[in-house]
Amino acid sequence: MRTLRRTALLTVPATVAGLLLTACGSDGKPAATSIPTPAASASAPATSAPAADKDVLKGSLAAGKTEKFGPVVLDGLGYTLYRFDKDTANPSVSNCNGDCAVKWPPVPVSAGSTVQGISAGLVGSVTRADGTKQLTLGGWPLYRFAGDKAPGETNGQGVGGIWFIPAPEGTKAAAAGGTGGNGY
């Protein structure tokens, strides 16, 4: 198993419409960022989170770091997130639906979701074909990989030459060789 080190920074309140705004405190450092929903609440640590809070944590973003890929993006439970080269960033469009979305679950916008160590200005959301909201980073929709069975695993990196771990800036963390196939 590959190990991850989580990097925590501060978080910034955002608008109820799902747009995140960058806010700076008097010291010029970013304040807290939350992904707004009507019932937003603070998230508990992943190790002690009740089942309902685990859904919120899956929809949270945090900067982390791996030895192999450097700075990466994680969900609130510490699972590595991915971006799909068949999606588009401008405008944001998610093209992973049906069987693809089973193997690559979209990261949802959830009540109480937060963003840590990532510029709030890079985080947004896109409405998927099924009407649900999915988090984006730098315009790219974000996903988990069903093949990652534990926090810190990076088994989805390079799959099909079209799935990549994002860096906290929204770019690809590293370009590793794919595992072949069509990526789903």
Side-chain angles (χ1 to χ4, degrees):
M1 178 179 357
R2 296 171 184 95
T3 58
L4 271 172
R5 182 178 51 145
R6 294 179 80 174
T7 307
L9 294 179
L10 302 174
T11 30
V12 183
T15 66
V16 175
L19 298 174
L20 298 175
L21 302 174
T22 303
C24 293
S26 58
D27 61 359
K29 294 182 181 177
T33 302
S34 63
I35 300 166
T37 57
S41 63
S43 300
T47 55
S48 64
D53 288 342
K54 286 185 180 182
D55 289 337
V56 169
L57 293 172
K58 287 180 185 177
S60 294
L61 302 179
K65 186 172 183 172
T66 67
E67 289 181 32
K68 187 172 182 179
F69 302 112
V72 298
V73 179
L74 311 170
D75 71 8
L77 296 174
Y79 283 85
T80 306
L81 299 181
Y82 299 89
R83 55 180 262 185
F84 182 39
D85 278 355
K86 291 186 178 182
D87 286 346
T88 61
N90 189 17
S92 294
V93 175
S94 174
N95 290 309
C96 178
N97 298 294
D99 290 342
C100 176
V102 172
K103 189 169 185 178
W104 299 92
V107 177
V109 175
S110 303
S113 295
T114 61
V115 177
Q116 295 182 333
I118 298 169
S119 172
L122 293 175
V123 180
S125 66
V126 64
T127 301
R128 296 179 47 77
D130 65 3
T132 61
K133 294 280 190 184
Q134 179 177 1
L135 286 177
T136 62
L137 180 62
W140 291 96
L142 297 173
Y143 304 85
R144 283 188 53 189
F145 178 48
D148 287 345
K149 301 300 182 192
E153 291 185 348
T154 57
N155 299 317
Q157 175 67 4
V159 169
I162 54 177
W163 289 96
F164 298 96
I165 300 168
E169 305 81 37
T171 59
K172 294 178 186 176
T179 58
N182 67 2
Y184 322 126

